Amino acid sequence: MRNIIAICKRELLSFFVSPIAYFVITGFTLLVGFFFFNYFSLFLRMYQMSAYLSMRGMPLPNLNQTIIEGVYQTMIVILVFLVPLLTMRIVAEDKRRGTFELLLTSPVSVFEIVMGKFLSLAVIIFAMLSISFIFPLLLIVYGAPEVPPILSGFVGVLLCTLGFASIGMAVSSFTENQIVAGVSSMVTLLLLYVIQAPAESLDGTVADVLRYLSPVDQVQDFVRGVVTLKATVYFVSMITLGLFLSQRALDALRWR
Amino acid sequence: MIEVKNLCKSYGDYKAVIDVSFSAAKGDIVGFLGPNGAGKTTTIRMLSTYLPPTSGTATVAGYDVIAQADEVRRRIGYLPENPPLYGEMTVREYLKFVGEIKGVARAQLASRIDEVLERCFIKDVRNKLCQHLSRGYRQRVGLAQAIIHHPQVIILDEPTSGLDPRQIIEIRQLIKSLGQDHTVLLSTHILPEVSMVCNKVVIISRGRVVMESRLSDLTRDKSLEQVFLESVSHDEVVDAAACVNQGA
Ligand SMILES: Nc1ncnc2c1ncn2[C@@H]1O[C@H](COP(=O)(O)OP(=O)(O)OP(=O)(O)O)[C@@H](O)[C@H]1O
Ligand SMILES: [Mg+2]
C-alpha cells in the first residue's frame, strides 16, 4: 500500500508541475460551462413557449431532461478527447526517460505501479469533474430540479471517465511515444463512443451487444437516476479491463 | 554475494552476452571492464533483474535473479547507464520517492536523505529540479539514489562517466568507502579506474569473460594494461588501447 501511495503522489506531483493538467481542467470547465448555458437558454426558450406546447398536447420542458441530461452526455463527448491528454504520458514517459528501469528494479510489483498510476489519474479526474459540478449545483441552488438524478448522473460520468482513463493508461503502457499513446487512445475511445451506430441498421443480438458496448446508453441510465446493475457492471468491467491490460503490458516488459 | 554462471543473453539472433561466469564475495569491489559494446550494460541489467537472461543463472545476495527477483530487488542498489531521474522533481523530492519505493522506514527516511546528500556531495543542489542539473550532478544524484536504502549489493553502470576530474576523484573515494560494508560491482571502460578503486577485475570482450582475477594477484608480475591488451582480441586492440589511455 505504501508503494501505491508513493507512486500516486509522485504522479500527482508531475501533473501539477506540467501545464497539461491545468490546460485540460480549464478547457473542460470552459467547454462544460459553454454547453451548460446553451442548454440553459434552450430550456428558457422552451419554457417561454410552454403555453403553446401544452396547447398542442406536447410535454412541458423538464429541467432535468433538458439541461442535466444534455450537459452530462456532452461531458462524455468532451472527455473522449480530453482524457487521452491526461493519460498519454502516464506510462510512456517513464519508458522513454529510463525511470522505468528504476521502478522495475525496485521492490514494487507491477500491480502496485499500475494501481499507483491509476489512483493519481482518479484524483485528477475527480478534481476536474468536481469543478464542473458547479453548473448542476447552480441549478440546485436557483432552481428546483430533481436532485437524485443529478447526483447519480455525476457518479455515472465519474465511472465512465475512470473507464476512459484506464483504457488510456493501457494504451500508454504499450508504447514509449506519448503522441502515439494520445492519438491511439483518442481513436479507441471515439470508436467505443460511436460503436452503437451500426445498431441502427442491424437487429437481433449483434445490435443489442453494440448498444451495450457504447457508454452513451450506460451513462443515460445513471443520468435518469436509475443506477442499474447492467450499467455498473459495464463501467467496472471497463476499468478492470484497462488495468488488466496495463498490467499485462508491463509484465511483458519486466520479462522481455 | 554475486554468483554468475553461464549467463547468456541474445537480442533476437544477436548474442550480446555469451556464457559469462564470475563471482564476487562480500566486501569486494569488482571492476567490470570492457570496450564499448562488450556487453557490460546487458550483464548488469540481468543482475539487476531488469532483463531476464536467455539462459544461465545468477544469484545476487544469495537469491536467484529470476526465481526470487523481488528478494534481489530488496537488496540491491542500482545506478543504470542513464541516471533514472524525474526531471520535474527536486533532488530531495526524488530521493524521498526512491527511499519510499525501496522500503526505507519512514522514521529513518529524512536522516537517510541527509546522509546521501552529504556523501554524494549534492547538498547544495538539494532543492534544484533534476532537469536543471548538469551531467555530473545527475550522475551523483543517481549514485545517491542507489545507496539510499543501505543495499547489500551495489551495482553501478559507469558511475564516473560525465564527471570532471575532481568529481571523479571524489566519487572514486566514495565507492571505495562503500566497499567496506557493501559489495560493489561497477562497470567502466577506464582501466586506471579499476586499479585505483577495485580489488577484483572481470574483463569482458564481445560478450565473453576473457579474464577474472584479484588485483593483488595481477600486478605482481604483469601490469593491468598488459593483461587487458593481451586478453582482448586483435581487432579490438585499438578500442582497448583507448581504454588504457583514458582516465584521470
Ligand atoms: N535492446 C537491444 N537490442 C539489440 N541489441 C542490443 C540491445 N541492447 C544492447 N544491444 C547490443 O548488445 C551489445 C552489448 O551492449 P551493451 O550495452 O551491453 O554494451 P556495453 O558493454 O555496456 O557498452 P558501453 O561501454 O558502450 O556502454 C551491443 O552490441 C549492443 O548493440
Ligand atoms: Mg554500457
Side-chain angles (χ1 to χ4, degrees):
Chain A
M1 198 59 205
R2 189 186 176 206
N3 289 337
I4 295 181
I5 292 183
I7 290 169
C8 171
K9 269 171 35 192
R10 206 217 66 72
E11 291 297 333
L12 286 176
L13 188 144
S14 286
F15 271 122
F16 283 111
V17 296
S18 93
I20 295 184
Y22 293 109
F23 274 110
V24 170
I25 293 177
T26 314
F28 181 72
T29 312
L30 286 177
L31 283 170
V32 172
F34 174 79
F35 282 104
F36 176 78
F37 287 108
N38 253 356
Y39 283 114
F40 191 71
S41 48
L42 179 71
F43 174 77
L44 286 185
R45 191 67 178 275
M46 284 165 74
Y47 197 75
Q48 282 160 0
M49 299 195 309
S50 58
Y52 171 77
L53 289 175
S54 66
M55 215 162 62
R56 308 200 68 184
M58 280 153 82
L60 287 178
N62 168 303
L63 202 58
N64 279 77
Q65 267 170 26
T66 321
I67 306 183
I68 300 298
E69 282 182 23
V71 168
Y72 279 161
Q73 285 295 357
T74 314
M75 278 188 185
I76 303 297
V77 183
I78 303 172
L79 289 165
V80 163
F81 293 96
L82 290 188
V83 169
L85 297 179
L86 289 178
T87 58
M88 63 184 190
R89 51 154 288 281
I90 195 88
V91 180
E93 195 179 24
D94 265 306
K95 290 203 224 163
R96 159 144 303 174
R97 63 182 165 186
T99 41
F100 220 67
E101 200 163 344
L102 168 69
L103 291 178
L104 288 192
T105 55
S106 295
V108 296
S109 63
V110 168
F111 177 77
E112 287 168 327
I113 298 174
V114 169
M115 289 314 283
K117 285 178 180 287
F118 183 69
L119 199 61
S120 72
L121 288 171
V123 171
I124 295 285
I125 283 166
F126 186 76
M128 179 168 87
L129 294 183
S130 300
I131 293 172
S132 290
F133 195 62
I134 290 177
F135 301 112
L137 214 58
L138 283 177
L139 283 190
I140 297 180
V141 174
Y142 293 105
E146 280 179 77
V147 176
I150 295 187
L151 298 179
S152 67
F154 180 80
V155 173
V157 174
L158 179 65
L159 283 176
C160 183
T161 317
L162 291 178
F164 285 2
S166 118
I167 302 281
M169 183 165 84
V171 174
S172 181
S173 307
F174 280 100
T175 171
E176 56 179 56
N177 186 321
Q178 292 187 38
I179 306 298
V180 169
V183 173
S184 318
S185 0
M186 235 177 249
V187 170
T188 311
L189 294 182
L190 195 57
L191 206 60
L192 188 69
Y193 186 82
V194 298
I195 203 160
Q196 96 286 24
E200 310 286 315
S201 53
L202 296 170
D203 38 34
T205 346
V206 183
D208 288 343
V209 169
L210 290 182
R211 268 195 209 97
Y212 181 76
L213 285 180
S214 162
V216 181
D217 282 8
Q218 313 291 356
V219 169
Q220 194 66 359
D221 281 3
F222 277 88
V223 175
R224 294 241 162 92
V226 278
V227 179
T228 57
L229 185 65
K230 153 186 144 304
T232 312
V233 167
Y234 172 83
F235 289 124
V236 172
S237 320
M238 177 155 51
I239 294 171
T240 315
L241 177 71
L243 295 178
F244 173 77
L245 289 177
S246 313
Q247 164 108 21
R248 290 306 295 266
L250 301 191
D251 265 338
L253 269 187
R254 205 169 215 173
W255 290 128
R256 188 168 35 181
Chain B
M1 275 290 130
I2 302 177
E3 275 294 331
V4 183
K5 281 210 191 81
N6 309 108
L7 208 57
C8 298
K9 177 76 194 178
S10 311
Y11 295 109
D13 285 342
Y14 181 76
K15 293 191 168 76
V17 168
I18 308 157
D19 233 9
V20 162
S21 305
F22 65 91
S23 67
K26 191 172 184 339
D28 273 350
I29 303 182
V30 180
F32 199 42
L33 188 66
N36 289 133
K40 303 183 294 294
T41 299
T42 305
T43 307
I44 278 179
R45 283 183 164 168
M46 290 190 278
L47 296 182
S48 64
T49 75
Y50 181 63
L51 284 181
T54 309
S55 67
T57 59
T59 58
V60 174
Y63 294 93
D64 188 280
V65 293
I66 301 177
Q68 297 156 308
D70 257 326
E71 298 299 328
V72 173
R73 289 178 187 130
R74 256 180 258 286
R75 289 166 179 81
I76 57 165
Y78 172 41
L79 169 64
E81 197 162 33
N82 302 308
L85 306 187
Y86 286 101
E88 68 277 16
M89 296 175 105
T90 67
V91 171
R92 218 192 148 82
E93 283 167 345
Y94 172 70
L95 291 175
K96 179 160 176 279
F97 169 68
V98 177
E100 280 169 347
I101 61 169
K102 299 281 182 182
V104 176
R106 224 174 285 261
Q108 289 163 20
L109 193 51
S111 65
R112 292 295 305 149
I113 294 172
D114 289 335
E115 191 190 323
V116 294
L117 284 173
E118 195 92 41
R119 270 188 109 166
C120 300
F121 318 100
I122 46 177
K123 219 171 169 187
D124 31 320
V125 296
R126 64 185 180 280
N127 293 322
K128 261 196 167 184
L129 290 181
C130 290
Q131 66 197 8
H132 294 156
L133 296 178
S134 68
R135 176 84 177 93
Y137 272 96
R138 294 172 61 87
Q139 196 71 23
R140 291 199 249 172
V141 174
L143 198 59
Q145 161 278 129
I147 61 176
I148 191 161
H149 52 302
H150 263 313
Q152 290 176 27
V153 176
I154 299 172
I155 301 175
L156 309 170
D157 201 348
E158 300 193 21
T160 55
S161 79
L163 302 181
D164 66 41
R166 211 199 64 209
Q167 292 174 341
I168 290 184
I169 293 168
E170 285 170 351
I171 292 296
R172 283 178 186 165
Q173 268 160 4
L174 169 65
I175 294 171
K176 255 188 150 151
S177 70
L178 289 174
Q180 282 153 14
D181 35 28
H182 309 266
T183 302
V184 184
L185 173 69
L186 67 93
S187 83
T188 178
H189 46 253
I190 304 170
L191 248 175
E193 187 157 290
V194 175
S195 32
M196 269 182 265
V197 182
C198 306
N199 60 9
K200 185 167 184 178
V201 59
V202 175
I203 299 178
I204 181 171
S205 169
R206 306 197 152 184
R208 293 177 197 275
V209 171
V210 288
M211 200 202 63
E212 173 184 4
S213 171
R214 304 226 145 251
L215 228 59
S216 48
D217 298 341
L218 246 177
T219 31
R220 236 178 285 151
D221 34 61
K222 272 189 204 164
S223 76
L224 187 56
E225 272 102 282
Q226 281 172 306
V227 175
F228 182 60
L229 288 175
E230 280 167 22
S231 48
V232 299
S233 52
H234 268 305
D235 37 336
E236 273 178 337
V237 164
V238 184
D239 279 351
C243 294
V244 174
N245 296 328
Q246 259 186 51

